[in-house]
Amino acid sequence: MLIAGALVATLLAALGVTTGYAYAGEVPRGTVVLDIDLGGKNRAEAAAALRAELDRRNDVLAAPVKVQLGDQTTEINPADVSLAIDVDATVAAAVDTRPGPFSRLFGARKIAPVIRVDQAKLEELLQPLAAKAGAAMTMPAVRFEGTRPKPIYPKPGTGLDPERAAQVLRDGWLSAKTVVVPLVEVHPATSAADVDRLITEFAEPAVSGPVTVTTERGSFTVSPGAIAKSLVLAADKTGKIEPRIDAKKLRAALGDQLGKVEIKPKNATMAIVSGKPRITPGNDGQEIDLAALSRDLLTVLPNRAGREVKGVLKTVPATTTADELAGLGIKERVSTFTTKFTGGLSSPRSQNIVRVAQQVDNTLVKPGEVFSLNRHTGERGYAQGYRDAPVILNGKLVPGVGGGVSQFTTTLFNAVYYAGLEDVEHKPHSYYYSRYPAVIESTIFYPDLDFKFRNNTPHGVLIDTSYTSDSITVSIWSTKIYDSVKTEYGPRRNITQPKTVYLTPGPTCIAAAGSTGFTQDAFRVIKKDGKVVKREKFTWTYDPEPNFVCGPKP
């Protein structure tokens, strides 16, 4: 009995020593993470050991991960999606898993590292790939044919499950050469039954009758047709349909109805009167708040009765005020240029010149703005008051609508040129005409050839036009910056003589005396404070204009 007692005591003592050894430290003995023995260490020691190992493996852990979706593959940099081992979470997992003492003494316990990834960033990177590899869903919608709603029913597709993709990447990152992300069947959030219900409960009532909009200035109606044109019943990327009104389409669909209650703002204007700039004040306008109206319409469209809403009129300020014009420094005539024309004001060519001059008169160009003649006038056709007159087409004069506008363009170009403003775009004529200054002239043809200049001064620029029975004048009003702007010409060179060309007689044949061709340089010399501050070179080569004869060759 004494011997047995001694043996028991010895065994208990040994067990106590063993148990103490097994439970030493916060991390259980035999705990292995990524082949690193963390057993017996406290949390800080285990974390330090694990971080040291991760630093050692950094090249491998930072390497791009090959990812496959269907028949598409890509590589993802771990840093781009915050793919990394969470050291603290991994150590916590190792500490929280507590085996018995004998398990602690015998064998190794492998703990999988806790891996984190930014699911949203991963989805952003994989979604384009999934779109190629998968099949797109047919999104539900309701379209209107006139005022009749037509359903578009949803159909499933194959695509990306972001949560599953993140889990697959975490699971396969450290063990697989290629991480295969499965494509899954994806369904729109709206079902076919939902589409039918949307038509019955919303789309059909929406166009069942007009909606009356009352304002402080009167009322107008939104017709079923206008509702159908502006009501949007399309799904978002998840397939969910939230009815909305497209405010721009609503304004276009309402047409003249808005004119019953809206007042257009009137800008302040400036004109040259009796040789001085005169400002005419403008007025603010009022227009329907279409954002508010669109929102309020949605509340009554499901109803077949009581279809009336209140419209809110908001102030629309004039874009140009009298105070703004007064502060632009338009106080004196900076430059002026005149060209002569023949035929009197009754000729179609003269009428075209006068028409474009009227469209440009009193045009304001603010500092930094670019003026475009084509953009300002728009198309210059019969509907805009232009008539047929000779134009250059394919190297010869033929009748064309708007002929003569090039003379106004040249006159405007010279006024801008001698005001020292920045030339943005112009093109001289193919042939030289003695009524224009050589090189310093410009043609125009809508919409391909334009004339543009930039107001590169700190002051406003006002274009003033006037005409007589045989001339057109353009003046630039602003504040003078330069002492003078002059042109110095180089000699003409590469002189070429015209040929005689015989044309078939008829109403489209226009005879011409012809002119020589040449190349010449013109230098715009700008002086300020008695010194030349800018010297710009303009060069152009004129083709020889043939001597066109309307008749057979002798």
Side-chain angles (χ1 to χ4, degrees):
M1 291 177 64
L2 289 173
I3 294 172
L7 289 173
V8 170
T10 301
L11 287 171
L12 288 174
L15 182 59
V17 171
T18 302
T19 301
Y21 171 80
Y23 281 92
E26 293 181 88
V27 181
R29 296 285 182 180
T31 301
V32 176
V33 177
L34 296 177
D35 300 327
I36 310 169
D37 186 358
L38 302 181
K41 293 179 170 58
N42 60 33
R43 290 175 185 263
E45 292 170 339
L50 184 55
R51 285 194 176 92
E53 178 62 19
L54 295 181
D55 288 342
R56 190 181 68 80
R57 300 188 186 191
N58 183 63
D59 289 345
V60 175
L61 297 176
V65 182
K66 190 174 182 180
V67 176
Q68 180 177 339
L69 286 87
D71 60 354
Q72 300 290 316
T73 58
T74 189
E75 287 188 341
I76 294 177
N77 291 317
D80 293 341
V81 293
S82 302
L83 180 63
I85 294 173
D86 191 325
V87 172
D88 294 333
T90 301
V91 171
V95 170
D96 290 344
T97 305
R98 292 187 170 276
F102 290 101
S103 298
R104 288 172 175 258
L105 286 171
F106 303 103
R109 275 186 328 113
K110 290 188 176 182
I111 300 295
V114 178
I115 299 172
R116 56 179 168 80
V117 65
D118 188 320
Q119 183 176 310
K121 290 182 179 178
L122 179 63
E123 180 183 4
E124 184 180 346
L125 289 177
L126 292 183
Q127 197 61 56
L129 201 69
K132 294 180 181 179
M137 296 182 289
T138 298
M139 290 300 188
V142 177
R143 303 279 188 262
F144 285 93
E145 293 181 357
T147 56
R148 186 178 179 184
K150 290 286 188 179
I152 297 176
Y153 292 114
K155 293 180 181 179
T158 54
L160 183 71
D161 181 338
E163 186 175 347
R164 188 171 179 184
Q167 186 58 52
V168 168
L169 183 61
R170 285 192 291 263
D171 293 342
W173 175 34
L174 300 177
S175 58
K177 292 183 178 179
T178 300
V179 176
V180 180
V181 176
L183 292 170
V184 299
E185 188 171 84
V186 289
H187 294 262
T190 301
S191 66
D194 293 331
V195 173
D196 288 335
R197 187 162 48 252
L198 180 65
I199 290 177
T200 302
E201 298 178 359
F202 188 87
E204 289 178 345
V207 293
S208 62
V211 176
T212 300
V213 182
T214 59
T215 75
E216 61 189 53
R217 289 182 49 81
S219 62
F220 63 92
T221 58
V222 184
S223 68
I227 294 169
K229 289 178 180 178
S230 57
L231 180 57
V232 180
L233 297 173
D236 60 17
K237 66 178 182 179
T238 68
K240 186 177 180 180
I241 298 177
E242 288 288 350
R244 66 181 180 87
I245 297 289
D246 187 312
K248 289 184 178 180
K249 290 182 179 179
L250 178 60
R251 176 170 287 279
L254 287 173
D256 295 337
Q257 287 289 317
L258 292 177
K260 296 178 179 180
V261 298
E262 291 187 337
I263 301 173
K264 292 184 178 180
K266 184 179 179 181
N267 288 331
T269 59
M270 179 181 286
I272 305 303
V273 180
S274 300
K276 294 182 180 180
R278 177 183 292 178
I279 296 174
T280 301
N283 298 298
D284 291 340
Q286 284 187 312
E287 70 175 25
I288 286 288
D289 186 337
L290 285 176
L293 178 59
S294 299
R295 182 183 63 247
D296 294 341
L297 281 174
L298 292 175
T299 65
V300 300
L301 290 184
N303 307 327
R304 295 180 183 271
R307 294 164 68 88
E308 184 174 318
V309 297
K310 289 186 177 181
V312 178
L313 289 170
K314 62 180 183 179
T315 299
V316 182
T319 56
T320 303
T321 66
D323 289 342
E324 183 182 2
L325 289 181
L328 288 176
I330 301 173
K331 63 181 183 180
E332 58 191 333
R333 189 169 66 182
V334 175
S335 66
T336 187
F337 199 83
T338 300
T339 58
K340 296 281 188 177
F341 55 79
T342 60
L345 290 179
S346 61
S347 75
R349 186 176 186 278
S350 302
Q351 287 293 305
N352 291 336
I353 295 172
V354 170
R355 177 71 186 115
V356 68
Q358 291 171 336
Q359 286 185 280
V360 175
D361 192 29
N362 296 327
T363 296
L364 175 68
V365 185
K366 295 179 181 179
E369 286 185 346
V370 173
F371 172 86
S372 160
L373 185 54
N374 278 344
R375 184 174 64 242
H376 183 82
T377 66
E379 184 177 0
R380 296 176 292 273
Y382 301 119
Q384 292 76 34
Y386 290 87
R387 303 164 66 180
D388 282 331
V391 297
I392 298 176
L393 186 64
N394 297 325
K396 65 179 182 179
L397 287 171
V398 296
V401 62
V405 173
S406 288
Q407 177 156 353
F408 174 80
T409 308
T410 288
T411 311
L412 175 60
F413 172 67
N414 274 267
V416 167
Y417 172 94
Y418 286 107
L421 298 171
E422 180 184 344
D423 174 44
V424 175
E425 178 184 341
H426 85 282
K427 183 181 180 182
H429 288 79
S430 301
Y431 305 137
Y432 172 66
Y433 296 105
S434 58
R435 61 179 174 269
Y436 305 143
V439 183
I440 310 303
E441 48 97 0
S442 180
T443 186
I444 196 166
F445 191 83
Y446 186 89
D448 303 314
L449 295 179
D450 200 359
F451 166 61
K452 298 177 183 178
F453 75 89
R454 178 179 284 104
N455 178 4
N456 56 333
T457 77
H459 310 291
V461 162
L462 185 71
I463 304 174
D464 176 57
T465 70
S466 60
Y467 58 90
T468 68
S469 61
D470 65 351
S471 68
I472 180 72
T473 298
V474 177
S475 301
I476 300 297
W477 287 72
S478 186
T479 293
K480 280 193 174 184
I481 295 178
Y482 306 114
D483 298 344
S484 66
V485 179
K486 295 182 179 180
T487 300
E488 294 179 0
Y489 279 103
R492 295 181 181 183
R493 59 188 185 274
N494 303 327
I495 309 297
T496 52
Q497 298 301 321
K499 298 179 180 179
T500 298
V501 176
Y502 295 92
L503 302 173
T504 303
T508 62
C509 181
I510 300 176
S515 62
T516 58
F518 59 90
T519 300
Q520 192 169 20
D521 301 324
F523 299 88
R524 178 162 69 163
V525 181
I526 302 177
K527 290 185 177 181
K528 183 178 181 181
D529 299 329
K531 297 179 180 179
V532 175
V533 294
K534 190 177 294 185
R535 184 180 176 88
E536 295 177 283
K537 181 180 180 181
F538 294 81
T539 301
W540 189 248
T541 297
Y542 290 101
D543 297 327
E545 181 184 19
N547 176 27
F548 289 112
V549 177
C550 295
K553 184 176 181 180

